[in-house]
């Protein structure tokens, strides 16, 4: 085998390996989303009930939903921030298609006055293991 043939064979072997870590990295690790919502103050009680129901159902029935946290800005109870963690992209997509999430979207669509959704890259994830 000549040098040129050897280099071609080496390139054919190495090229797939070079892209493998990128593909594995995309498929690995949790998917984290952040949402900033403002709720019509007059509808805050109804929104709160709807989102709590949806979050509790998601945690209870969806194994791929790892965490859902909702907080309000101090002194501004209708300015909400949500941190969502899913096992992977498939778990996130499954969540979005779930009946309880679709019900939440339909129920709350007129209660939300502002919505910003953020996709994230995992920079550093640390948690205590129980």
């Amino acid at each position: 085998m000549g040098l040129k043939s050897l280099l071609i064979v080496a390139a054919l072997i190495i090229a797939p390996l070079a892209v493998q870590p990128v593909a594995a990295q995309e498929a690995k690790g949790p998917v984290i989303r952040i949402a900033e919502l403002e709720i019509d103050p007059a509808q805050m009680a109804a929104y709160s009930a709807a989102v709590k129901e949806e979050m509790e159902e998601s945690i209870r029935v969806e194994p791929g939903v790892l965490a859902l946290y909702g907080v309000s800005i101090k002194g501004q109870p209708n300015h909400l921030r949500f941190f969502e963690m899913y096992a992977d992209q498939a778990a996130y997509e499954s969540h979005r298609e779930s009946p309880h999430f679709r019900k939440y979207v339909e129920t709350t669509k007129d209660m939300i006055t502002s919505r910003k959704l953020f996709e994230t890259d995992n920079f550093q994830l640390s948690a205590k293991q129980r």
Side-chain angles (χ1 to χ4, degrees), residues 6 12 23 29 38 47 51 62 65 69 75 77-78 80 93-95 99 110 121 125 128:
L6 187 59
L12 290 173
E38 290 182 29
Y47 179 83
V51 76
E62 294 183 66
V65 177
Y69 298 109
N78 66 315
L80 304 176
E93 296 300 330
S94 177
H95 170 71
D110 295 328
D121 291 323
L125 304 176
K128 289 189 185 258

mmCIF file of all heavy atoms in Angstrom, residues 6 12 23 29 38 47 51 62 65 69 75 77-78 80 93-95 99 110 121 125 128:
data_model
loop_
_atom_site.group_PDB
_atom_site.id
_atom_site.type_symbol
_atom_site.label_atom_id
_atom_site.label_comp_id
_atom_site.label_asym_id
_atom_site.label_seq_id
_atom_site.Cartn_x
_atom_site.Cartn_y
_atom_site.Cartn_z
ATOM 1 N N LEU A 6 -2.464 4.860 2.135
ATOM 2 C CA LEU A 6 -2.432 4.768 3.584
ATOM 3 C C LEU A 6 -3.052 6.017 4.220
ATOM 4 O O LEU A 6 -3.827 5.918 5.181
ATOM 5 C CB LEU A 6 -0.990 4.590 4.064
ATOM 6 C CG LEU A 6 -0.810 4.321 5.548
ATOM 7 C CD1 LEU A 6 -1.543 3.063 5.957
ATOM 8 C CD2 LEU A 6 0.666 4.201 5.881
ATOM 9 N N LEU A 12 -10.176 8.085 6.387
ATOM 10 C CA LEU A 12 -11.503 7.466 6.465
ATOM 11 C C LEU A 12 -11.789 6.907 7.866
ATOM 12 O O LEU A 12 -12.933 6.892 8.307
ATOM 13 C CB LEU A 12 -11.636 6.363 5.419
ATOM 14 C CG LEU A 12 -11.695 6.854 3.967
ATOM 15 C CD1 LEU A 12 -11.654 5.678 2.999
ATOM 16 C CD2 LEU A 12 -12.944 7.683 3.734
ATOM 17 N N ALA A 23 -21.127 14.931 18.288
ATOM 18 C CA ALA A 23 -22.442 14.306 18.262
ATOM 19 C C ALA A 23 -22.790 13.744 19.633
ATOM 20 O O ALA A 23 -23.914 13.895 20.110
ATOM 21 C CB ALA A 23 -22.481 13.202 17.205
ATOM 22 N N GLY A 29 -26.317 14.657 28.354
ATOM 23 C CA GLY A 29 -26.602 15.724 29.296
ATOM 24 C C GLY A 29 -28.013 16.241 29.200
ATOM 25 O O GLY A 29 -28.719 16.022 28.222
ATOM 26 N N GLU A 38 -44.348 37.418 32.354
ATOM 27 C CA GLU A 38 -45.111 38.400 33.113
ATOM 28 C C GLU A 38 -46.570 38.020 32.951
ATOM 29 O O GLU A 38 -47.033 37.751 31.841
ATOM 30 C CB GLU A 38 -44.865 39.819 32.607
ATOM 31 C CG GLU A 38 -43.471 40.318 32.915
ATOM 32 C CD GLU A 38 -43.234 41.753 32.466
ATOM 33 O OE1 GLU A 38 -44.209 42.545 32.433
ATOM 34 O OE2 GLU A 38 -42.087 42.073 32.135
ATOM 35 N N TYR A 47 -53.596 31.882 36.995
ATOM 36 C CA TYR A 47 -52.350 31.414 36.380
ATOM 37 C C TYR A 47 -51.583 30.515 37.355
ATOM 38 O O TYR A 47 -51.104 29.443 36.977
ATOM 39 C CB TYR A 47 -51.451 32.575 35.939
ATOM 40 C CG TYR A 47 -50.175 32.051 35.348
ATOM 41 C CD1 TYR A 47 -50.124 31.647 34.028
ATOM 42 C CD2 TYR A 47 -49.041 31.866 36.139
ATOM 43 C CE1 TYR A 47 -48.977 31.090 33.499
ATOM 44 C CE2 TYR A 47 -47.892 31.310 35.621
ATOM 45 C CZ TYR A 47 -47.862 30.924 34.295
ATOM 46 O OH TYR A 47 -46.723 30.352 33.780
ATOM 47 N N VAL A 51 -50.421 26.706 36.455
ATOM 48 C CA VAL A 51 -49.021 26.319 36.296
ATOM 49 C C VAL A 51 -48.605 25.316 37.367
ATOM 50 O O VAL A 51 -47.842 24.390 37.101
ATOM 51 C CB VAL A 51 -48.076 27.546 36.242
ATOM 52 C CG1 VAL A 51 -47.850 28.152 37.626
ATOM 53 C CG2 VAL A 51 -46.741 27.156 35.613
ATOM 54 N N GLU A 62 -43.841 12.221 34.090
ATOM 55 C CA GLU A 62 -42.834 12.227 33.023
ATOM 56 C C GLU A 62 -41.449 11.941 33.607
ATOM 57 O O GLU A 62 -40.851 12.820 34.233
ATOM 58 C CB GLU A 62 -42.806 13.582 32.320
ATOM 59 C CG GLU A 62 -44.070 13.916 31.556
ATOM 60 C CD GLU A 62 -43.941 15.219 30.824
ATOM 61 O OE1 GLU A 62 -43.126 15.296 29.884
ATOM 62 O OE2 GLU A 62 -44.632 16.179 31.212
ATOM 63 N N VAL A 65 -38.640 14.549 32.854
ATOM 64 C CA VAL A 65 -38.675 15.882 33.452
ATOM 65 C C VAL A 65 -37.941 15.780 34.781
ATOM 66 O O VAL A 65 -38.436 15.193 35.731
ATOM 67 C CB VAL A 65 -40.125 16.392 33.651
ATOM 68 C CG1 VAL A 65 -40.124 17.747 34.346
ATOM 69 C CG2 VAL A 65 -40.843 16.485 32.313
ATOM 70 N N TYR A 69 -38.613 24.546 38.303
ATOM 71 C CA TYR A 69 -38.603 25.519 39.387
ATOM 72 C C TYR A 69 -39.234 26.806 38.886
ATOM 73 O O TYR A 69 -38.910 27.277 37.799
ATOM 74 C CB TYR A 69 -37.181 25.824 39.854
ATOM 75 C CG TYR A 69 -36.441 24.638 40.422
ATOM 76 C CD1 TYR A 69 -35.397 24.055 39.733
ATOM 77 C CD2 TYR A 69 -36.791 24.114 41.662
ATOM 78 C CE1 TYR A 69 -34.710 22.967 40.262
ATOM 79 C CE2 TYR A 69 -36.109 23.034 42.197
ATOM 80 C CZ TYR A 69 -35.072 22.465 41.488
ATOM 81 O OH TYR A 69 -34.398 21.393 42.010
ATOM 82 N N GLY A 75 -41.001 41.421 45.257
ATOM 83 C CA GLY A 75 -41.783 42.643 45.139
ATOM 84 C C GLY A 75 -42.590 42.743 43.854
ATOM 85 O O GLY A 75 -43.341 43.691 43.665
ATOM 86 N N PRO A 77 -44.751 39.980 42.165
ATOM 87 C CA PRO A 77 -45.228 38.595 42.142
ATOM 88 C C PRO A 77 -45.723 38.099 40.791
ATOM 89 O O PRO A 77 -45.823 36.894 40.590
ATOM 90 C CB PRO A 77 -46.354 38.594 43.185
ATOM 91 C CG PRO A 77 -46.764 40.014 43.320
ATOM 92 C CD PRO A 77 -45.543 40.841 43.028
ATOM 93 N N ASN A 78 -45.993 39.008 39.875
ATOM 94 C CA ASN A 78 -46.438 38.572 38.547
ATOM 95 C C ASN A 78 -45.291 38.501 37.532
ATOM 96 O O ASN A 78 -45.512 38.220 36.364
ATOM 97 C CB ASN A 78 -47.562 39.476 38.025
ATOM 98 C CG ASN A 78 -47.090 40.886 37.760
ATOM 99 O OD1 ASN A 78 -46.381 41.481 38.577
ATOM 100 N ND2 ASN A 78 -47.479 41.435 36.623
ATOM 101 N N LEU A 80 -42.400 36.254 36.688
ATOM 102 C CA LEU A 80 -41.978 34.897 37.022
ATOM 103 C C LEU A 80 -40.774 34.455 36.196
ATOM 104 O O LEU A 80 -40.610 34.880 35.041
ATOM 105 C CB LEU A 80 -43.136 33.923 36.785
ATOM 106 C CG LEU A 80 -44.430 34.250 37.519
ATOM 107 C CD1 LEU A 80 -45.520 33.264 37.125
ATOM 108 C CD2 LEU A 80 -44.210 34.250 39.022
ATOM 109 N N GLU A 93 -39.072 17.305 24.145
ATOM 110 C CA GLU A 93 -40.095 17.259 23.088
ATOM 111 C C GLU A 93 -41.338 16.497 23.562
ATOM 112 O O GLU A 93 -42.462 16.915 23.297
ATOM 113 C CB GLU A 93 -39.520 16.608 21.823
ATOM 114 C CG GLU A 93 -38.388 17.385 21.177
ATOM 115 C CD GLU A 93 -38.783 18.791 20.732
ATOM 116 O OE1 GLU A 93 -39.968 19.019 20.386
ATOM 117 O OE2 GLU A 93 -37.912 19.676 20.733
ATOM 118 N N SER A 94 -41.128 15.414 24.291
ATOM 119 C CA SER A 94 -42.240 14.638 24.830
ATOM 120 C C SER A 94 -43.062 15.489 25.793
ATOM 121 O O SER A 94 -44.303 15.441 25.782
ATOM 122 C CB SER A 94 -41.706 13.389 25.543
ATOM 123 O OG SER A 94 -42.748 12.671 26.127
ATOM 124 N N HIS A 95 -42.382 16.262 26.622
ATOM 125 C CA HIS A 95 -43.073 17.149 27.562
ATOM 126 C C HIS A 95 -43.957 18.144 26.815
ATOM 127 O O HIS A 95 -45.116 18.364 27.183
ATOM 128 C CB HIS A 95 -42.051 17.884 28.433
ATOM 129 C CG HIS A 95 -42.651 18.975 29.244
ATOM 130 N ND1 HIS A 95 -43.480 18.734 30.325
ATOM 131 C CD2 HIS A 95 -42.569 20.330 29.129
ATOM 132 C CE1 HIS A 95 -43.870 19.882 30.836
ATOM 133 N NE2 HIS A 95 -43.342 20.870 30.130
ATOM 134 N N PRO A 99 -50.389 15.934 27.221
ATOM 135 C CA PRO A 99 -51.719 16.540 27.375
ATOM 136 C C PRO A 99 -51.757 17.627 28.454
ATOM 137 O O PRO A 99 -52.415 18.655 28.262
ATOM 138 C CB PRO A 99 -52.615 15.361 27.763
ATOM 139 C CG PRO A 99 -51.865 14.146 27.385
ATOM 140 C CD PRO A 99 -50.410 14.495 27.394
ATOM 141 N N ASP A 110 -54.003 33.619 27.442
ATOM 142 C CA ASP A 110 -54.454 35.006 27.567
ATOM 143 C C ASP A 110 -54.057 35.648 28.900
ATOM 144 O O ASP A 110 -54.336 36.822 29.126
ATOM 145 C CB ASP A 110 -55.970 35.087 27.382
ATOM 146 C CG ASP A 110 -56.391 34.690 25.974
ATOM 147 O OD1 ASP A 110 -55.618 34.941 25.025
ATOM 148 O OD2 ASP A 110 -57.493 34.118 25.828
ATOM 149 N N ASP A 121 -26.859 26.434 26.736
ATOM 150 C CA ASP A 121 -25.777 25.458 26.635
ATOM 151 C C ASP A 121 -25.351 25.163 28.059
ATOM 152 O O ASP A 121 -25.255 26.072 28.888
ATOM 153 C CB ASP A 121 -24.580 26.029 25.853
ATOM 154 C CG ASP A 121 -24.912 26.219 24.379
ATOM 155 O OD1 ASP A 121 -25.631 25.377 23.815
ATOM 156 O OD2 ASP A 121 -24.442 27.212 23.798
ATOM 157 N N LEU A 125 -22.991 22.296 35.659
ATOM 158 C CA LEU A 125 -24.164 21.800 36.373
ATOM 159 C C LEU A 125 -23.679 21.056 37.609
ATOM 160 O O LEU A 125 -22.942 20.081 37.498
ATOM 161 C CB LEU A 125 -24.981 20.861 35.488
ATOM 162 C CG LEU A 125 -25.437 21.463 34.161
ATOM 163 C CD1 LEU A 125 -26.150 20.394 33.323
ATOM 164 C CD2 LEU A 125 -26.344 22.648 34.378
ATOM 165 N N LYS A 128 -26.269 18.250 44.539
ATOM 166 C CA LYS A 128 -26.010 17.246 45.571
ATOM 167 C C LYS A 128 -26.712 15.961 45.152
ATOM 168 O O LYS A 128 -27.844 15.990 44.654
ATOM 169 C CB LYS A 128 -26.526 17.699 46.921
ATOM 170 C CG LYS A 128 -25.712 18.819 47.497
ATOM 171 C CD LYS A 128 -26.141 19.075 48.929
ATOM 172 C CE LYS A 128 -25.412 20.280 49.458
ATOM 173 N NZ LYS A 128 -24.319 19.949 50.307
#
